[in-house]
Amino acid sequence: GSVSEYGLASAQLARLKAGGVRTVACVDLVAASGGYMLAAAAGHIVAAPFAFIGSIGVVGGSPNVHRLLEKSGVEYLERTAGKFKRSVNMLTPNTTEGIAKFEQELEEIHVAFKDHLVSQRPRLASCIDDVSTGEAWLATKAHALGLVDRVMSSDEFLRIKSTEAEVFLLRVQETKKRPGILKALGQSLETVQGLAQTARSVASWGLSHMSLTQ
């Protein structure tokens, strides 16, 4: 997933935990890469036995079609301001320096990812490099590695909790948006046009009827 999107979601969950709200992430299928970044911000992680956990790594790539453009006789011109404004390119040849910069950026994100996990789950400090190889494991193995706290499905977890407290099912209900002024004007215009067409049809029918009866 997107670094920025999952990073923001993770920060919001961490904010709840920092505010004293008890949070639990339940993983029934997959919490990999950005998904695990998000789950790790919870105070507790519960995962179903065959859920995939981990994939703590970073991947980035870009196709390059400059040879295809050259073969087709297409010339693409690009200019940038800033030495590394664009480290890798899609339409122009890549450089060794640019690729090295791109790899450096990926590594910096990976380091930040690992630091985030350690800050949210301090128990990972002693093994963070071992679990940050990009591999994903079944929850049973992930539990042994310290990536999850409990192995069970979300249904089982909620059933247990229902004997201790009330369980509520929350659904997000989308509110109907009021039409904007342009849409409202468009609907009004369509109504006026429809009435005008009806009036013309009635007038035409009346003239035809008069000519037939004369």
Side-chain angles (χ1 to χ4, degrees), residues 52-152:
F52 276 97
I53 308 293
S55 188
I56 302 168
V58 184
V59 61
S62 173
N64 188 283
V65 298
H66 82 274
R67 290 191 180 90
L68 180 61
L69 294 179
E70 290 175 356
K71 187 179 295 186
S72 302
V74 178
E75 180 181 353
Y76 175 76
L77 177 65
E78 180 179 81
R79 293 291 183 268
T80 60
K83 183 177 180 181
F84 291 114
K85 176 61 179 176
R86 192 179 299 281
S87 54
V88 293
N89 306 283
M90 181 185 300
L91 304 177
T92 58
N94 287 310
T95 65
T96 302
E97 186 179 28
I99 293 173
K101 178 62 177 176
F102 182 60
E103 293 172 347
Q104 177 190 333
E105 292 169 347
L106 293 181
E107 184 59 30
E108 289 174 354
I109 295 172
H110 193 206
V111 170
F113 191 174
K114 292 190 291 184
D115 289 345
H116 164 78
L117 296 181
V118 171
S119 70
Q120 298 301 319
R121 294 179 65 84
R123 72 198 73 178
L124 294 177
S126 61
C127 63
I128 189 63
D129 289 331
D130 295 330
V131 298
S132 300
T133 60
E135 299 172 83
W137 300 274
L138 293 176
T140 48
K141 178 65 179 296
H143 180 254
L145 293 171
L147 295 173
V148 301
D149 302 299
R150 203 167 181 180
V151 179
M152 64 173 60

